[in-house]
Amino acid sequence: MKWFGRKGGAASAGAPRAALRPLLLRGWTGQAPGEPWPRSYEAQVREAYLSNPVAQRAVRLVAEGAASASVYAVEAAAAAEGGLGGSGARGAAAAALATPGLLETAAAQLLLHGNAFVQIVQDAEGAPAELFALRPERVSVEADAAGWPAAYVYKAGEARTRLPARDGLGRPALVHLRAMHPLDDHYGLGCLGAAAGAVAVHNAASRWNKALLDNAARPSGALLYEGGEGELGADQYQRVKAELEDYYQGADNAGRPLLLEGGMRWQAISLSPADMDFVGLKAAAAREIALAFGVPPMLLGLPGDSTYANYREANRALWRLTILPLADKILAGISAALAAWWPGVRLAVDVDQITALAEDRERLWAQVSAADFLTPEEKREMLGFAASGGG
């Protein structure tokens, strides 16, 4: 007695279905259920920065904004102990920082990879002459027995260069800038991993649109055989398939009438945008990408953003919340490294030169000027100026 149906062939019949399930369930996103997003850094960069306009624009807005900021050097009284006094320490530090594209490259690497490695190139006298940003995926950290970084290894092809963390005089050969990673002691966490899902959805939506345009913006369909009992033979099936691919698919064949034989009927299969909320899903993915990189969606031209009153408010938020903290992190790390040669030297962004923050600066000047209980020297100090020396 067969209580549970046919026993023979059940296992063999289930195997093909299990193998085909990922292919059948793989939707317009191109991802099967449970299939992970790209894990490697190179694959994520290709998907996000090289192939996605939203992610590329977000990274470039932040990186180019940090590079456009005016940077100046200040020094403490202890700077003279390093052998350079007065404007010498400031000028040397500013000259070392003046490597073309340094701030932009370091900012982009921190956003994408979470790490930025800046090599300090010394001149003949042993002083920093130039700073170069190394590709972070080529640098690895060598830890000592206690777990502290002892050296950095840079690999480019077959070449392998080992840079000690500190030389005999305690001066660093490389500056390691890293974003906070809660599960790693030596490497930082970039934004690509958090944005990988939204990038995959947005890229898949673009490929879906391109496929629709290649197919004359028409959804796919199915040929139904109604020729009585039986099925199409193998030769007939291959001939019909070849004719569809050669004469009816693609943008060049748009609008060509379909010639069917007896017993065959064309059934259109469509999925309306209301059913899958196509436009809303793509916009939500773009907003998630902007959120991962800390850029207000309004600045990327995304519709439906009512968080900010206008474009000017969004631009101010971008500088206050994303660009300035990132630039301060980079300059603080470089200043700490250069302090081994010039103690007390500090690099900072000149906020007064940032056009997007002009209204904030004007408001501060008005408030400080109207404060009658402050002395002129206190007002100068609050506005970032040195003492006048006039008492």
Side-chain angles (χ1 to χ4, degrees):
M1 181 179 294
K2 299 179 181 179
W3 288 16
F4 302 100
R6 291 182 300 173
K7 182 177 180 181
S12 60
R17 291 194 181 98
L20 290 175
R21 188 173 293 112
L23 297 178
L24 296 176
L25 296 180
R26 188 187 299 268
W28 64 273
T29 60
Q31 297 285 339
E35 183 177 347
W37 311 118
R39 294 290 184 179
S40 66
Y41 173 71
E42 182 177 355
Q44 290 180 352
V45 168
R46 292 185 182 277
E47 286 292 322
Y49 193 81
L50 302 184
S51 303
N52 189 272
V54 178
Q56 183 183 119
R57 182 55 180 162
V59 173
R60 294 188 64 176
L61 270 178
V62 178
E64 293 178 356
S68 65
S70 178
V71 179
Y72 65 95
V74 296
E75 59 179 340
E81 300 177 2
L84 290 174
S87 62
R90 297 194 303 268
L97 189 66
T99 304
L102 175 64
L103 287 179
E104 179 180 358
T105 304
Q109 290 174 350
L110 275 175
L111 287 175
L112 296 173
H113 192 272
N115 298 272
F117 298 91
V118 180
Q119 183 180 4
I120 302 176
V121 180
Q122 303 180 13
D123 56 14
E125 299 179 355
E130 292 179 303
L131 303 175
F132 290 98
L134 306 176
R135 285 178 53 174
E137 74 275 12
R138 295 180 176 179
V139 181
S140 59
V141 179
E142 283 189 2
D144 57 13
W148 295 99
Y152 299 91
V153 179
Y154 178 75
K155 297 180 181 179
E158 299 296 332
R160 184 177 182 272
T161 305
R162 187 176 185 273
L163 302 173
R166 298 278 177 175
D167 59 11
L169 300 177
R171 301 176 301 187
L174 184 144
V175 183
H176 182 192
L177 307 171
R178 59 185 293 266
M180 195 276 293
H181 195 316
L183 301 178
D184 201 310
D185 296 331
H186 300 127
Y187 298 98
L189 179 63
C191 302
L192 281 180
V199 168
V201 172
H202 197 273
N203 288 346
S206 300
R207 289 192 294 267
W208 177 272
N209 286 336
K210 177 63 166 57
L212 285 180
L213 290 177
D214 291 341
N215 199 30
R218 296 178 180 177
S220 60
L223 278 177
L224 302 181
Y225 178 64
E226 299 176 348
E229 298 181 357
E231 300 178 353
L232 289 176
D235 296 338
Q236 292 176 311
Y237 176 79
Q238 294 297 333
R239 181 172 60 85
V240 172
K241 181 180 178 182
E243 289 181 357
L244 287 176
E245 293 178 350
D246 295 339
Y247 298 105
Y248 300 104
Q249 289 186 1
D252 296 335
N253 298 321
R256 175 176 292 185
L258 186 64
L259 181 61
L260 302 178
E261 299 181 358
M264 303 190 70
R265 180 172 61 87
W266 174 261
Q267 177 65 45
I269 300 176
S270 61
L271 194 62
S272 65
D275 294 334
M276 63 178 180
D277 197 11
F278 179 79
V279 177
L281 186 61
K282 185 177 180 181
R287 295 174 68 87
E288 289 183 7
I289 297 173
L291 175 65
F293 292 102
V295 177
M298 177 182 289
L299 300 181
L300 299 177
L302 300 179
D305 188 0
S306 58
T307 303
Y308 302 95
N310 49 37
Y311 187 89
R312 184 170 50 191
E313 292 292 334
N315 195 26
R316 183 184 297 116
L318 173 66
W319 276 93
R320 287 294 187 188
L321 301 179
T322 303
I323 297 179
L324 285 181
L326 184 62
D328 291 339
K329 177 189 287 291
I330 297 174
L331 295 178
I334 296 177
S335 300
L338 297 181
W341 287 270
W342 307 302
V345 171
R346 181 176 61 87
L347 300 170
V349 175
D350 190 0
V351 184
D352 294 343
Q353 302 299 324
I354 300 176
T355 306
L357 304 179
E359 291 185 4
D360 295 347
R361 193 65 178 177
E362 181 181 358
R363 189 181 302 112
L364 176 62
W365 277 58
Q367 293 174 352
V368 173
S369 300
D372 298 335
F373 57 89
L374 294 177
T375 64
E377 296 300 326
E378 291 174 340
K379 293 181 180 180
R380 293 178 61 90
E381 182 179 358
M382 291 185 64
L383 295 177
F385 292 98
S388 61

